[in-house]
mmCIF file of all heavy atoms in Angstrom:
data_model
loop_
_atom_site.group_PDB
_atom_site.id
_atom_site.type_symbol
_atom_site.label_atom_id
_atom_site.label_comp_id
_atom_site.label_asym_id
_atom_site.label_seq_id
_atom_site.Cartn_x
_atom_site.Cartn_y
_atom_site.Cartn_z
ATOM 1 N N TYR A 668 99.682 93.976 80.554
ATOM 2 C CA TYR A 668 99.990 93.219 79.327
ATOM 3 C C TYR A 668 99.128 91.945 79.239
ATOM 4 O O TYR A 668 98.736 91.515 78.132
ATOM 5 C CB TYR A 668 101.489 92.908 79.197
ATOM 6 C CG TYR A 668 102.202 94.089 78.664
ATOM 7 C CD1 TYR A 668 102.855 94.966 79.516
ATOM 8 C CD2 TYR A 668 102.148 94.377 77.310
ATOM 9 C CE1 TYR A 668 103.460 96.116 79.069
ATOM 10 C CE2 TYR A 668 102.796 95.534 76.846
ATOM 11 C CZ TYR A 668 103.413 96.414 77.718
ATOM 12 O OH TYR A 668 104.070 97.501 77.217
ATOM 13 N N ALA A 669 98.752 91.349 80.356
ATOM 14 C CA ALA A 669 97.878 90.195 80.348
ATOM 15 C C ALA A 669 96.506 90.580 79.819
ATOM 16 O O ALA A 669 95.908 89.862 78.980
ATOM 17 C CB ALA A 669 97.787 89.541 81.735
ATOM 18 N N ALA A 670 96.038 91.723 80.249
ATOM 19 C CA ALA A 670 94.707 92.205 79.767
ATOM 20 C C ALA A 670 94.778 92.555 78.271
ATOM 21 O O ALA A 670 93.881 92.229 77.489
ATOM 22 C CB ALA A 670 94.295 93.465 80.525
ATOM 23 N N TYR A 671 95.916 93.144 77.829
ATOM 24 C CA TYR A 671 96.112 93.441 76.409
ATOM 25 C C TYR A 671 96.125 92.165 75.583
ATOM 26 O O TYR A 671 95.458 92.085 74.544
ATOM 27 C CB TYR A 671 97.384 94.237 76.243
ATOM 28 C CG TYR A 671 97.611 94.737 74.815
ATOM 29 C CD1 TYR A 671 97.039 96.007 74.399
ATOM 30 C CD2 TYR A 671 98.287 94.074 73.835
ATOM 31 C CE1 TYR A 671 97.165 96.424 73.121
ATOM 32 C CE2 TYR A 671 98.444 94.476 72.572
ATOM 33 C CZ TYR A 671 97.878 95.672 72.230
ATOM 34 O OH TYR A 671 98.034 96.123 70.888
ATOM 35 N N ARG A 672 96.918 91.164 76.029
ATOM 36 C CA ARG A 672 97.010 89.890 75.297
ATOM 37 C C ARG A 672 95.657 89.191 75.277
ATOM 38 O O ARG A 672 95.399 88.498 74.328
ATOM 39 C CB ARG A 672 97.989 88.953 76.100
ATOM 40 C CG ARG A 672 99.389 89.022 75.760
ATOM 41 C CD ARG A 672 100.220 87.888 76.364
ATOM 42 N NE ARG A 672 99.887 87.484 77.705
ATOM 43 C CZ ARG A 672 100.436 88.069 78.767
ATOM 44 N NH1 ARG A 672 101.307 89.015 78.635
ATOM 45 N NH2 ARG A 672 100.099 87.607 79.958
ATOM 46 N N GLY A 673 94.893 89.315 76.289
ATOM 47 C CA GLY A 673 93.602 88.693 76.370
ATOM 48 C C GLY A 673 92.538 89.346 75.468
ATOM 49 O O GLY A 673 91.428 88.762 75.384
ATOM 50 N N LEU A 674 92.882 90.456 74.891
ATOM 51 C CA LEU A 674 91.965 91.131 73.942
ATOM 52 C C LEU A 674 90.623 91.544 74.577
ATOM 53 O O LEU A 674 89.647 91.655 73.925
ATOM 54 C CB LEU A 674 91.712 90.317 72.687
ATOM 55 C CG LEU A 674 93.027 89.867 71.937
ATOM 56 C CD1 LEU A 674 92.607 89.045 70.742
ATOM 57 C CD2 LEU A 674 93.863 91.066 71.588
ATOM 58 N N ASP A 675 90.650 91.722 75.936
ATOM 59 C CA ASP A 675 89.487 92.089 76.625
ATOM 60 C C ASP A 675 89.545 93.599 76.914
ATOM 61 O O ASP A 675 90.188 94.039 77.829
ATOM 62 C CB ASP A 675 89.435 91.326 77.969
ATOM 63 C CG ASP A 675 88.125 91.587 78.730
ATOM 64 O OD1 ASP A 675 87.541 92.681 78.611
ATOM 65 O OD2 ASP A 675 87.769 90.731 79.561
ATOM 66 N N LYS A 676 88.871 94.346 76.088
ATOM 67 C CA LYS A 676 89.000 95.814 76.142
ATOM 68 C C LYS A 676 88.477 96.353 77.475
ATOM 69 O O LYS A 676 89.101 97.345 77.988
ATOM 70 C CB LYS A 676 88.211 96.466 75.011
ATOM 71 C CG LYS A 676 88.924 96.185 73.652
ATOM 72 C CD LYS A 676 88.305 96.944 72.507
ATOM 73 C CE LYS A 676 89.111 96.657 71.264
ATOM 74 N NZ LYS A 676 88.746 97.477 70.117
ATOM 75 N N ALA A 677 87.476 95.786 78.046
ATOM 76 C CA ALA A 677 86.965 96.273 79.393
ATOM 77 C C ALA A 677 88.011 95.994 80.460
ATOM 78 O O ALA A 677 88.282 96.902 81.289
ATOM 79 C CB ALA A 677 85.662 95.620 79.707
ATOM 80 N N LYS A 678 88.578 94.845 80.476
ATOM 81 C CA LYS A 678 89.588 94.549 81.454
ATOM 82 C C LYS A 678 90.872 95.397 81.223
ATOM 83 O O LYS A 678 91.460 95.868 82.243
ATOM 84 C CB LYS A 678 89.973 93.047 81.402
ATOM 85 C CG LYS A 678 90.842 92.535 82.509
ATOM 86 C CD LYS A 678 91.048 91.034 82.428
ATOM 87 C CE LYS A 678 91.940 90.555 83.558
ATOM 88 N NZ LYS A 678 92.139 89.096 83.503
ATOM 89 N N TYR A 679 91.220 95.598 79.954
ATOM 90 C CA TYR A 679 92.385 96.399 79.691
ATOM 91 C C TYR A 679 92.086 97.888 80.167
ATOM 92 O O TYR A 679 92.933 98.472 80.830
ATOM 93 C CB TYR A 679 92.649 96.416 78.218
ATOM 94 C CG TYR A 679 93.864 97.200 77.771
ATOM 95 C CD1 TYR A 679 95.121 96.864 78.154
ATOM 96 C CD2 TYR A 679 93.668 98.294 76.926
ATOM 97 C CE1 TYR A 679 96.270 97.583 77.745
ATOM 98 C CE2 TYR A 679 94.775 99.061 76.540
ATOM 99 C CZ TYR A 679 96.052 98.700 76.974
ATOM 100 O OH TYR A 679 97.108 99.493 76.513
ATOM 101 N N ARG A 680 90.895 98.375 79.865
ATOM 102 C CA ARG A 680 90.536 99.733 80.223
ATOM 103 C C ARG A 680 90.595 99.930 81.757
ATOM 104 O O ARG A 680 90.978 101.015 82.283
ATOM 105 C CB ARG A 680 89.168 100.103 79.664
ATOM 106 C CG ARG A 680 88.713 101.526 79.991
ATOM 107 C CD ARG A 680 89.629 102.532 79.304
ATOM 108 N NE ARG A 680 89.233 103.864 79.594
ATOM 109 C CZ ARG A 680 89.867 104.584 80.577
ATOM 110 N NH1 ARG A 680 90.756 104.106 81.373
ATOM 111 N NH2 ARG A 680 89.508 105.875 80.760
ATOM 112 N N ALA A 681 90.232 98.860 82.503
ATOM 113 C CA ALA A 681 90.269 98.948 83.936
ATOM 114 C C ALA A 681 91.686 99.040 84.506
ATOM 115 O O ALA A 681 91.852 99.480 85.651
ATOM 116 C CB ALA A 681 89.542 97.718 84.550
ATOM 117 N N CYS A 682 92.682 98.739 83.682
ATOM 118 C CA CYS A 682 94.090 98.911 84.110
ATOM 119 C C CYS A 682 94.591 100.335 83.940
ATOM 120 O O CYS A 682 95.722 100.621 84.378
ATOM 121 C CB CYS A 682 94.967 97.978 83.264
ATOM 122 S SG CYS A 682 94.710 96.218 83.467
ATOM 123 N N LEU A 683 93.815 101.200 83.300
ATOM 124 C CA LEU A 683 94.233 102.528 82.924
ATOM 125 C C LEU A 683 93.597 103.588 83.816
ATOM 126 O O LEU A 683 92.462 103.461 84.222
ATOM 127 C CB LEU A 683 93.899 102.790 81.469
ATOM 128 C CG LEU A 683 94.250 101.723 80.431
ATOM 129 C CD1 LEU A 683 93.756 102.175 79.054
ATOM 130 C CD2 LEU A 683 95.750 101.493 80.461
ATOM 131 N N THR A 684 94.320 104.709 84.054
ATOM 132 C CA THR A 684 93.726 105.854 84.658
ATOM 133 C C THR A 684 92.873 106.604 83.624
ATOM 134 O O THR A 684 92.997 106.337 82.428
ATOM 135 C CB THR A 684 94.804 106.842 85.205
ATOM 136 O OG1 THR A 684 95.614 107.259 84.167
ATOM 137 C CG2 THR A 684 95.686 106.162 86.267
ATOM 138 N N ASP A 685 92.037 107.460 84.146
ATOM 139 C CA ASP A 685 91.187 108.244 83.232
ATOM 140 C C ASP A 685 92.004 109.125 82.286
ATOM 141 O O ASP A 685 91.521 109.493 81.182
ATOM 142 C CB ASP A 685 90.157 109.103 83.988
ATOM 143 C CG ASP A 685 89.140 108.241 84.724
ATOM 144 O OD1 ASP A 685 88.884 107.056 84.254
ATOM 145 O OD2 ASP A 685 88.548 108.664 85.723
ATOM 146 N N ASP A 686 93.168 109.549 82.714
ATOM 147 C CA ASP A 686 93.987 110.440 81.909
ATOM 148 C C ASP A 686 95.183 109.704 81.271
ATOM 149 O O ASP A 686 96.216 110.340 80.941
ATOM 150 C CB ASP A 686 94.479 111.647 82.736
ATOM 151 C CG ASP A 686 95.300 111.197 83.958
ATOM 152 O OD1 ASP A 686 95.297 110.035 84.327
ATOM 153 O OD2 ASP A 686 95.881 112.128 84.562
ATOM 154 N N TYR A 687 95.056 108.430 81.072
ATOM 155 C CA TYR A 687 96.126 107.566 80.520
ATOM 156 C C TYR A 687 96.701 108.114 79.203
ATOM 157 O O TYR A 687 95.927 108.647 78.346
ATOM 158 C CB TYR A 687 95.506 106.182 80.247
ATOM 159 C CG TYR A 687 96.362 105.256 79.395
ATOM 160 C CD1 TYR A 687 97.490 104.561 79.909
ATOM 161 C CD2 TYR A 687 96.032 105.046 78.050
ATOM 162 C CE1 TYR A 687 98.185 103.724 79.116
ATOM 163 C CE2 TYR A 687 96.741 104.151 77.255
ATOM 164 C CZ TYR A 687 97.835 103.532 77.814
ATOM 165 O OH TYR A 687 98.550 102.689 77.008
ATOM 166 N N VAL A 688 97.973 107.999 79.018
ATOM 167 C CA VAL A 688 98.695 108.432 77.786
ATOM 168 C C VAL A 688 99.647 107.355 77.445
ATOM 169 O O VAL A 688 100.429 106.829 78.224
ATOM 170 C CB VAL A 688 99.454 109.747 78.045
ATOM 171 C CG1 VAL A 688 100.252 110.178 76.836
ATOM 172 C CG2 VAL A 688 98.485 110.886 78.423
ATOM 173 N N LEU A 689 99.668 107.012 76.112
ATOM 174 C CA LEU A 689 100.607 106.058 75.546
ATOM 175 C C LEU A 689 101.556 106.845 74.540
ATOM 176 O O LEU A 689 100.984 107.510 73.676
ATOM 177 C CB LEU A 689 99.858 104.939 74.841
ATOM 178 C CG LEU A 689 100.773 104.034 73.947
ATOM 179 C CD1 LEU A 689 101.766 103.226 74.814
ATOM 180 C CD2 LEU A 689 99.876 102.991 73.156
ATOM 181 N N LEU A 690 102.822 106.679 74.701
ATOM 182 C CA LEU A 690 103.806 107.283 73.739
ATOM 183 C C LEU A 690 104.462 106.087 73.135
ATOM 184 O O LEU A 690 105.227 105.379 73.736
ATOM 185 C CB LEU A 690 104.808 108.172 74.486
ATOM 186 C CG LEU A 690 104.205 109.342 75.190
ATOM 187 C CD1 LEU A 690 104.204 109.056 76.680
ATOM 188 C CD2 LEU A 690 104.976 110.558 74.888
ATOM 189 N N GLU A 691 104.181 105.828 71.827
ATOM 190 C CA GLU A 691 104.729 104.717 71.162
ATOM 191 C C GLU A 691 104.859 105.029 69.654
ATOM 192 O O GLU A 691 103.958 105.632 69.069
ATOM 193 C CB GLU A 691 103.857 103.478 71.358
ATOM 194 C CG GLU A 691 104.411 102.225 70.757
ATOM 195 C CD GLU A 691 103.531 100.999 71.041
ATOM 196 O OE1 GLU A 691 102.310 101.080 70.964
ATOM 197 O OE2 GLU A 691 104.141 99.977 71.420
ATOM 198 N N ASN A 692 105.972 104.639 69.063
ATOM 199 C CA ASN A 692 106.191 104.818 67.635
ATOM 200 C C ASN A 692 106.059 106.256 67.218
ATOM 201 O O ASN A 692 105.519 106.551 66.115
ATOM 202 C CB ASN A 692 105.305 103.872 66.835
ATOM 203 C CG ASN A 692 105.498 102.411 67.088
ATOM 204 O OD1 ASN A 692 106.612 102.004 67.353
ATOM 205 N ND2 ASN A 692 104.438 101.632 67.041
ATOM 206 N N GLY A 693 106.444 107.179 68.019
ATOM 207 C CA GLY A 693 106.303 108.618 67.692
ATOM 208 C C GLY A 693 104.892 109.109 67.788
ATOM 209 O O GLY A 693 104.687 110.252 67.323
ATOM 210 N N GLU A 694 103.986 108.355 68.365
ATOM 211 C CA GLU A 694 102.615 108.774 68.469
ATOM 212 C C GLU A 694 102.266 108.983 69.902
ATOM 213 O O GLU A 694 102.739 108.387 70.792
ATOM 214 C CB GLU A 694 101.662 107.761 67.812
ATOM 215 C CG GLU A 694 101.836 107.627 66.307
ATOM 216 C CD GLU A 694 100.793 106.749 65.666
ATOM 217 O OE1 GLU A 694 99.611 106.888 66.110
ATOM 218 O OE2 GLU A 694 101.128 105.930 64.809
ATOM 219 N N LEU A 695 101.241 109.829 70.113
ATOM 220 C CA LEU A 695 100.726 110.121 71.425
ATOM 221 C C LEU A 695 99.289 109.745 71.382
ATOM 222 O O LEU A 695 98.429 110.295 70.655
ATOM 223 C CB LEU A 695 100.865 111.652 71.748
ATOM 224 C CG LEU A 695 100.373 112.191 73.009
ATOM 225 C CD1 LEU A 695 101.175 111.594 74.190
ATOM 226 C CD2 LEU A 695 100.410 113.691 73.031
ATOM 227 N N LEU A 696 98.874 108.706 72.158
ATOM 228 C CA LEU A 696 97.505 108.198 72.163
ATOM 229 C C LEU A 696 96.910 108.289 73.572
ATOM 230 O O LEU A 696 97.654 108.061 74.572
ATOM 231 C CB LEU A 696 97.510 106.729 71.700
ATOM 232 C CG LEU A 696 97.978 106.408 70.322
ATOM 233 C CD1 LEU A 696 98.042 104.901 70.145
ATOM 234 C CD2 LEU A 696 97.095 107.011 69.291
ATOM 235 N N ASP A 697 95.565 108.569 73.602
ATOM 236 C CA ASP A 697 94.891 108.367 74.861
ATOM 237 C C ASP A 697 94.296 107.015 74.954
ATOM 238 O O ASP A 697 94.538 106.203 74.057
ATOM 239 C CB ASP A 697 93.826 109.528 75.014
ATOM 240 C CG ASP A 697 92.728 109.462 73.958
ATOM 241 O OD1 ASP A 697 92.674 108.505 73.128
ATOM 242 O OD2 ASP A 697 91.892 110.431 73.927
ATOM 243 N N ALA A 698 93.494 106.731 75.989
ATOM 244 C CA ALA A 698 92.945 105.391 76.163
ATOM 245 C C ALA A 698 92.064 105.014 74.993
ATOM 246 O O ALA A 698 92.171 103.879 74.478
ATOM 247 C CB ALA A 698 92.160 105.297 77.448
ATOM 248 N N ASP A 699 91.194 105.945 74.485
ATOM 249 C CA ASP A 699 90.391 105.606 73.370
ATOM 250 C C ASP A 699 91.181 105.266 72.112
ATOM 251 O O ASP A 699 90.875 104.315 71.330
ATOM 252 C CB ASP A 699 89.385 106.763 73.065
ATOM 253 C CG ASP A 699 88.371 106.882 74.154
ATOM 254 O OD1 ASP A 699 88.088 105.917 74.894
ATOM 255 O OD2 ASP A 699 87.812 108.019 74.317
ATOM 256 N N GLY A 700 92.242 106.072 71.859
ATOM 257 C CA GLY A 700 93.092 105.803 70.696
ATOM 258 C C GLY A 700 93.810 104.483 70.803
ATOM 259 O O GLY A 700 93.965 103.768 69.776
ATOM 260 N N ASP A 701 94.262 104.188 72.008
ATOM 261 C CA ASP A 701 94.985 102.844 72.254
ATOM 262 C C ASP A 701 94.007 101.733 72.005
ATOM 263 O O ASP A 701 94.306 100.734 71.334
ATOM 264 C CB ASP A 701 95.584 102.866 73.668
ATOM 265 C CG ASP A 701 96.489 101.659 73.905
ATOM 266 O OD1 ASP A 701 96.906 100.986 72.934
ATOM 267 O OD2 ASP A 701 96.839 101.457 75.070
ATOM 268 N N LEU A 702 92.787 101.800 72.563
ATOM 269 C CA LEU A 702 91.836 100.743 72.425
ATOM 270 C C LEU A 702 91.386 100.577 70.976
ATOM 271 O O LEU A 702 91.070 99.486 70.544
ATOM 272 C CB LEU A 702 90.614 101.026 73.316
ATOM 273 C CG LEU A 702 90.860 100.806 74.807
ATOM 274 C CD1 LEU A 702 89.768 101.487 75.631
ATOM 275 C CD2 LEU A 702 90.945 99.374 75.159
ATOM 276 N N ALA A 703 91.383 101.643 70.211
ATOM 277 C CA ALA A 703 90.941 101.601 68.826
ATOM 278 C C ALA A 703 91.919 100.744 67.945
ATOM 279 O O ALA A 703 91.496 100.123 66.968
ATOM 280 C CB ALA A 703 90.846 102.978 68.260
#
């Protein structure tokens, strides 16, 4: 969350695995979708 708050996409991406999945608001996002 600190990386997310900092709006540093590279630092945030470094917190994620290559197969990262986010389930939020009924949506399924991968790392690229989350970063977008």
Side-chain angles (χ1 to χ4, degrees):
Y668 281 97
Y671 187 88
R672 272 191 318 272
L674 306 179
D675 183 335
K676 291 185 178 191
K678 188 173 181 181
Y679 181 67
R680 181 64 182 96
C682 294
L683 312 177
T684 61
D685 292 336
D686 59 347
Y687 166 80
V688 176
L689 169 65
L690 299 105
E691 184 175 46
N692 299 326
E694 294 187 43
L695 180 67
L696 299 171
D697 62 8
D699 292 336
D701 189 13
L702 288 163

